[in-house]
Amino acid sequence: QVQLAESGGGLVRPGGSLTLACAASGSPFGFGTMAWYRQAPGKERELVAAMTRGGVANYGDAVKGRFTISRDYAEKTVYLQMNSLEPEDTAVYYCNAQTGSYSYWGKGTLVTVSS
C-alpha cells in the first residue's frame, strides 16, 4: 500500500524559508515522477514543482527561481526548498507520486506566510 507522508509545513514570515519533505513508501519498484502541488483557499490545486525519475525538474511559473525540488532516491523522499516566501504562497502543499499508471497523493501540509 503506497503511502506519502508530508512534513515541514508551518508559519513563516514573508521573505523567509521553509523546507518540505515527503517520504514515500509501499512501492517495491520505486516511484516515477514525484511532485509538489498546492491549493490556496478558494483556488484550484496547482503544480508547484515536479521531478522525474531521471532527475529532470520543472516548476510552476509562480515559484521559478525561489523554490527548488530535490529527491533522495534511496530514501524515496522528495523535498521542496522554499525561499523568499510571499503571502501568496500560503496554501496546503500536497505531495504526489506516480508509479506505473497510478498517481498517489499525500494528505497535505499547511504553509502559512504571514507577518
Side-chain angles (χ1 to χ4, degrees):
Q1 181 179 357
V2 172
Q3 292 186 325
L4 303 177
E6 300 109 331
S7 61
L11 174 64
V12 62
R13 295 183 183 277
S17 298
L18 210 58
T19 300
L20 306 182
C22 171
S25 62
S27 173
F29 305 106
F31 296 90
T33 297
M34 297 184 74
W36 288 95
Y37 287 76
R38 69 185 182 186
Q39 187 165 19
K43 294 188 176 182
E44 294 186 353
R45 191 172 295 190
E46 63 175 354
L47 174 70
V48 176
M51 180 170 277
T52 67
R53 191 167 189 157
V56 177
N58 68 287
Y59 297 89
D61 289 340
V63 305
K64 284 180 180 177
R66 300 188 298 122
F67 291 10
T68 302
I69 189 171
S70 60
R71 288 176 69 164
D72 182 328
Y73 292 90
E75 297 297 328
K76 296 180 181 177
T77 301
V78 61
Y79 301 94
L80 185 68
Q81 174 67 43
M82 304 185 292
N83 298 326
S84 302
L85 283 160
E86 305 167 352
E88 293 73 24
D89 295 316
T90 295
V92 177
Y93 285 70
Y94 296 92
C95 178
N96 175 269
Q98 297 177 13
T99 175
S101 59
Y102 296 97
S103 182
Y104 299 91
W105 293 91
K107 294 182 179 180
T109 184
L110 177 63
V111 172
T112 303
V113 184
S114 175
S115 56

